[in-house]
Amino acid sequence: MNVNVPLDEVMGFSFTYDPIQIARLANSISEGFCRADTLLSAISSKQGTFLKSLDNMVSSVFNGVGYAKYPYQLRFLLQENYYAEVVDGLDNSLLSVGTKSESIQSKYARITFDNFYLAENRVPFKSAEELLDKVITEGYKELFRLKLKPESPIQVFITPTKKHIVYMEIQKVDTGFRLTFQDIQTGLKIVNGNSLSSLSAEATRVLREVFEYYKIPLTDAGPQPIPPSAGQGTSFSMAFNLQGHLDNIGKLQILPDSALTIKEVVTHDISELKALDDKAIKSMIEEYASLMTDRDNQKRLKLDNLGDKLPDMPASTKQIDG
């Protein structure tokens, strides 16, 4: 993944050929892709495939045919499902890609998202200095308290302004420490430092334009007064207590006509997705066949009493190869 690729411009371009997004943006009802992007970033990063997932997303935008469409489409579907109950006009958007908002699949996904949202412990901040200090200080305290590996990433979900969220992580690497900042509005930024203090100083410099974009003061004691917009919705949450919920989100299967999980899409190359999907579909059919040929299950469904005849089930998945 080339870190110089302007991912914010790529995402902006993706809207230009999506008539549904254009219509929703024109009517001010689009919620963008920011929440979906942060969740997928966190899930892929935990598996060490963060940059690969972004690379796949770029390929998906420009070459979105067949399985190549899934990295982009997944962001759309995840975001729509996440906000389906609080943003008007999303039912038609989901139907347009073959997903019903009232399906059992979508309802279970929304329960999973709700559990994640309710578990977030949001901490307010008023300046870039306060944000970085709290994330680094409290983050490593919690990492050591939980006895996690020193190289485990500190994953952070930041709300720089109302109705928007970005992803940031700090991780120990061979050369010191690395901070990764991913935002669909301002792009991808990667910062390196020999120590945590040098990382914080370098991050303030590299992310300066981002903080200025969101009107977040660099320090609490800056020469300029804190603007009215700052502090309104500016908060962050760390993913330490959210890992179980992220794992559950990663297991969701929300792509129409596919058995792929969210985690599989963001942790594998596009060229590997078809084989993974074929394997997952075979597994689902095998499980279904086992459930429906079980005599106890047939009695519960009263199939024998109704005289219903089940279709012939394949003896093995070899019969459905092809």
Side-chain angles (χ1 to χ4, degrees):
M1 175 71 199
N2 185 343
V3 297
N4 293 316
V5 172
L7 290 171
D8 51 322
E9 294 181 19
V10 171
M11 292 306 294
F13 174 78
S14 72
F15 290 128
T16 64
Y17 66 86
D18 189 330
I20 294 173
Q21 287 292 341
I22 292 173
R24 291 173 59 223
L25 284 167
N27 289 284
S28 300
I29 60 172
S30 177
E31 75 291 346
F33 287 148
C34 60
R35 171 62 80 170
D37 190 69
T38 60
L39 292 173
L40 297 182
S41 294
I43 292 169
S44 61
S45 176
K46 202 69 177 180
Q47 304 301 316
T49 59
F50 173 63
L51 293 180
K52 176 191 286 289
S53 73
L54 294 182
D55 194 39
N56 285 346
M57 188 271 290
V58 173
S59 297
S60 185
V61 169
F62 293 105
N63 305 295
V65 178
Y67 282 89
K69 69 184 178 184
Y70 285 156
Y72 171 79
Q73 190 180 64
L74 185 60
R75 282 166 168 77
F76 170 81
L77 287 170
L78 196 159
Q79 187 88 3
E80 306 296 273
N81 275 280
Y82 194 100
Y83 289 107
E85 292 182 346
V86 294
V87 176
D88 293 333
L90 298 193
D91 287 353
N92 291 334
S93 298
L94 291 170
L95 281 171
S96 71
V97 289
T99 299
K100 295 181 179 179
S101 63
E102 292 305 310
S103 68
I104 294 175
Q105 186 181 35
S106 294
K107 286 182 177 180
Y108 177 71
R110 287 200 291 274
I111 291 172
T112 305
F113 297 142
D114 286 344
N115 290 338
F116 173 89
Y117 180 80
L118 293 172
E120 280 191 292
N121 179 27
R122 305 213 66 81
V123 179
F125 67 92
K126 293 182 179 179
S127 68
E129 180 183 52
E130 183 181 12
L131 169 66
L132 293 170
D133 181 64
K134 284 184 175 180
V135 168
I136 291 173
T137 303
E138 299 303 320
Y140 274 98
K141 279 184 181 178
E142 190 67 6
L143 186 144
F144 294 136
R145 186 185 73 79
L146 295 173
K147 297 181 180 179
L148 299 176
K149 295 180 180 179
E151 62 272 17
S152 299
I154 297 174
Q155 300 179 305
V156 189
F157 302 99
I158 303 170
T159 305
T161 186
K162 286 183 177 181
K163 298 183 180 181
H164 187 56
I165 191 164
V166 304
Y167 175 78
M168 184 175 80
E169 69 174 34
I170 297 174
Q171 187 171 20
K172 191 177 188 307
V173 294
D174 292 340
T175 55
F177 295 90
R178 175 172 297 157
L179 182 151
T180 304
F181 185 94
Q182 164 60 9
D183 176 14
I184 64 170
Q185 289 192 14
T186 61
L188 173 68
K189 306 285 190 299
I190 295 179
V191 185
N192 292 291
N194 296 326
S195 64
L196 288 173
S197 59
S198 65
L199 179 72
S200 180
E202 184 66 5
T204 301
R205 184 186 69 80
V206 174
L207 299 178
R208 183 186 184 103
E209 64 182 44
V210 174
F211 295 128
E212 290 177 346
Y213 178 83
Y214 290 115
K215 297 181 172 61
I216 297 173
L218 294 180
T219 67
D220 291 337
Q224 300 295 325
I226 296 176
S229 60
Q232 295 183 9
T234 51
S235 61
F236 71 90
S237 63
M238 287 186 277
F240 290 115
N241 67 318
L242 300 172
Q243 194 54 55
H245 298 291
L246 286 170
D247 290 342
N248 289 335
I249 291 174
K251 295 173 185 176
L252 291 175
Q253 297 164 299
I254 62 174
L255 289 166
D257 303 322
S258 172
L260 290 169
T261 65
I262 287 176
K263 179 180 176 181
E264 285 173 331
V265 175
V266 298
T267 58
H268 290 84
D269 190 82
I270 290 173
S271 63
E272 301 173 295
L273 295 183
K274 185 180 186 306
L276 287 170
D277 199 19
D278 289 344
K279 182 178 179 181
I281 291 172
K282 290 179 183 179
S283 178
M284 288 177 66
I285 293 175
E286 212 168 42
E287 183 180 1
Y288 174 79
S290 176
L291 288 170
M292 296 303 290
T293 54
D294 181 83
R295 294 304 303 171
D296 290 335
N297 288 337
Q298 289 181 17
K299 289 179 181 179
R300 292 190 189 97
L301 294 171
K302 299 181 181 180
L303 291 174
D304 51 347
N305 294 338
L306 294 174
D308 293 329
K309 180 177 176 59
L310 288 170
D312 293 333
M313 297 294 175
S316 74
T317 55
K318 289 181 180 179
Q319 295 184 21
I320 57 174
D321 284 339

